[in-house]
Structures are given as C-alpha cells and as structure tokens.
Amino acid sequence: MAVLVVVAVAVSLLIVRSTWHISGSGSVGPSHVGQSIKPPPTIMPIIIQYGAVLCNSSYDLIMPGGSAIALVYHVHGDMKINGYQLYIDFPTAIINETLSSWASMSYSGNAMWLGIYLNGRLIASNNQSQPLQALAITVNHPYVYGNKTMNFWQIANTENWYVVHTEIGVGFPAINVTSGDTIVVILYSAVPYALPVCNITSDAEEVQLMVNYSLIGTFGSTNKSLPTTKQLFENGQYIIEEPTIYVITKSITNLQSISMDDITPGISNIAPKYTIGYIWYPLPTNYPVIYSNRNEINANG
C-alpha cells in the first residue's frame, strides 16, 4: 500500500473493489422552517447540478484523524445554488479504528465539520457527523443473508466488500453566485475516513468529464425550460473543482476561526467526488402544502 506524505498529513492509497452503499445515510435530509411538512415519498426533488466529479476509476485517499482539508471551486457564469455534497468512504480496513476513535471522543457531534465559504466568508456549516452515525448503524445492524441472520462483518467477508460509501452534505438558503466567485469547502475530521478521488489534471479535463457523462444539468424533471448539460456548457455556466486537495496547517477550534491564509497546497492532479447545485421539491396540484425556506438538501440528490 503506497503512502504519500503531504504537508504533515499521511495519505494512504486503497483501490476500491466490492462496495456497500449506505442509501440516504450521511446526508443532510430535507428540512423546513415555517409552516411546512415533509413531502410524501412520491414527490421527487428537482436538481440542477452546476458542478460534479464522478468517475468509474476512483480510488480512496485515507485521511488520518485530526486532519483538515480544503477544496476550492471556481464559478463560471451566473447561477443560484443551495446545496453541496461530498462523498465519503470508509474502507473496511479502517472501520474499527474509525468507530473506536469516534467512541473515545467526549462529544461525538464534533467528529466531522463541513464548512462552505463564499469569497472567504462562511455561509453554511454542518457538524452533525452523519457519515459516522450511518456507519455505526450499518456495522451494528443484523442482516438476513439467505436463510441466516448475519452481522456486517460476516457478510463483508463473504461478499469480499472493501469499502462503505456514504456522503456528507450541507444546505443553505439559496444564494446567487457569479463568474469569478470562489467557493471553498473545508472538511475537518477527528477520526480516520477516506475520500474517493478521480485523477484530473486541469479545468478543461474536468469540464469534459462533466459534459461527456452528463454530470451537470437538470435531474428529476422533463421541463424543457430547465437547463440541460449541453445548455449549461454552451452558456459557460458551471462550477469547477480545482484539481488540488489543500491542507490546513493550524489547529482548528471552530469553522469561524479558519483563515484562507492557513490553506496550503497538498496533493495535485486529483479531485474528490462531489456535487453542487440547486434543489427544490415541486408542488403537485393534489397536494396543496406550502413549503417555506427549505434550507437543506438531500445529499442523495
């Protein structure tokens, strides 16, 4: 197993093989303020993704506990966004260490912090440690396998699982961003985890990936007035992840205390898997409920 030393952060490489996906876990679920209720499951969200990195050849960078990274995104064109999600992996080789580290914390809710900064100003954050909660439930839950009840590890060994997939997300009241804006995402984790990453060397390569595989555009709607992948690309309307993982060189006490001056380039020519965009739920004519100021997204979107 190769080990890269990056500005005092040891990062191991693990190739992903068989996987287990926690459906819906580790996400920031839909929530509301004001007089509103959760929509029924038949109502699907409509999403306009303005930026995304996904690839079939992704692999895991294992990040040690106590590490803080920063991801930088550049806005092209004018658009409205209200949510971000970052994919998180837990290779089976580190699950016990991760859960043990989490259990030893005096306050487990501070195990993971995710902060979103627009032009250096904190606009949203999430420190509820959903990926770890989801992982604990997954590992400790009994499963029916064939005609037997088995635990997670028994099934993982039988099926040769190597990693558990989940994600962490944060939503915020919709904001307008414009060309030249910079979005910085900072993730701190007190426990080990892994980032699934893709090999990307330039903005142009990332744009081509998004266009060729329709990673941007409208999902969940056939409304022709909403932008397609082709239209976003032709309009120059997208958000690009800089293909560098930055590290933060100072001790973090809270997300407000982080300065952009504390961010140092770490690993280049790779980009973690993410999505960023705008999401909402349409109101069906047979369900007359007013949804107000939806401020979070479902990270499965």
Side-chain angles (χ1 to χ4, degrees):
M1 184 177 293
V3 177
L4 307 177
V5 178
V6 184
V7 195
V9 177
V11 181
S12 304
L13 301 184
L14 177 71
I15 302 300
V16 176
R17 299 179 189 172
S18 290
T19 63
W20 170 281
H21 182 76
I22 307 173
S23 178
S25 37
S27 68
V28 183
S31 71
H32 331 277
V33 297
Q35 299 300 316
S36 58
I37 65 173
K38 185 175 181 179
T42 54
I43 299 178
M44 297 299 292
I46 296 175
I47 306 134
I48 302 177
Q49 287 185 184
Y50 291 107
V53 163
L54 298 170
C55 63
N56 290 328
S57 57
S58 67
Y59 56 94
D60 277 333
L61 290 176
I62 300 179
M63 309 301 296
S67 60
I69 63 166
L71 309 173
V72 178
Y73 301 85
H74 299 293
V75 178
H76 297 264
D78 299 337
M79 63 205 75
K80 180 167 64 174
I81 61 173
N82 69 353
Y84 172 90
Q85 75 176 41
L86 180 66
Y87 293 86
I88 300 290
D89 277 358
F90 294 106
T92 53
I94 68 168
I95 285 177
N96 283 334
E97 179 185 356
T98 298
L99 292 178
S100 295
S101 297
W102 188 40
S104 67
M105 294 182 62
S106 58
Y107 176 56
S108 61
N110 277 338
M112 280 187 163
W113 295 350
L114 185 72
I116 311 291
Y117 298 76
L118 177 62
N119 299 328
R121 178 177 60 89
L122 181 65
I123 61 171
S125 63
N126 174 17
N127 68 333
Q128 297 304 308
S129 303
Q130 289 98 336
L132 297 168
Q133 295 165 4
L135 178 65
I137 292 171
T138 300
V139 171
N140 294 317
H141 187 78
Y143 298 92
V144 176
Y145 185 85
N147 58 358
K148 296 188 298 183
T149 298
M150 299 173 68
N151 64 35
F152 170 83
W153 291 109
Q154 290 171 323
I155 297 179
N157 291 332
T158 301
E159 294 292 334
N160 203 29
W161 286 334
Y162 283 81
V163 66
V164 173
H165 293 311
T166 186
E167 59 271 330
I168 187 168
V170 62
F172 40 87
I175 59 171
N176 294 314
V177 293
T178 190
S179 287
D181 284 347
T182 298
I183 298 169
V184 175
V185 175
I186 291 179
L187 175 63
Y188 166 79
S189 180
V191 302
Y193 71 100
L195 281 174
V197 299
C198 301
N199 288 321
I200 293 175
T201 60
S202 66
D203 284 4
E205 184 179 349
E206 186 173 334
V207 172
Q208 207 59 45
L209 178 70
M210 293 193 301
V211 172
N212 288 348
Y213 294 95
S214 297
L215 302 180
I216 58 174
T218 302
F219 300 86
S221 174
T222 57
N223 186 337
K224 296 187 184 305
S225 68
L226 297 175
T228 63
T229 297
K230 180 180 178 182
Q231 288 169 331
L232 288 180
F233 174 64
E234 290 177 344
N235 293 338
Q237 213 176 352
Y238 45 79
I239 297 175
I240 291 296
E241 178 178 2
E242 200 171 299
T244 298
I245 295 178
Y246 294 80
V247 296
I248 299 173
T249 56
K250 64 172 286 187
S251 176
I252 295 178
T253 55
N254 62 72
L255 288 172
Q256 293 282 5
S257 69
I258 297 172
S259 166
M260 297 300 115
D261 295 333
D262 301 321
I263 296 174
T264 303
I267 312 174
S268 296
N269 299 327
I270 59 172
K273 295 163 68 172
Y274 82 99
T275 59
I276 189 170
Y278 182 72
I279 182 172
W280 73 98
Y281 284 80
L283 283 175
T285 55
N286 62 345
Y287 195 71
V289 176
I290 302 301
Y291 303 109
S292 60
N293 297 330
R294 184 177 302 277
N295 61 3
E296 293 183 349
I297 65 167
N298 184 329
N300 275 334

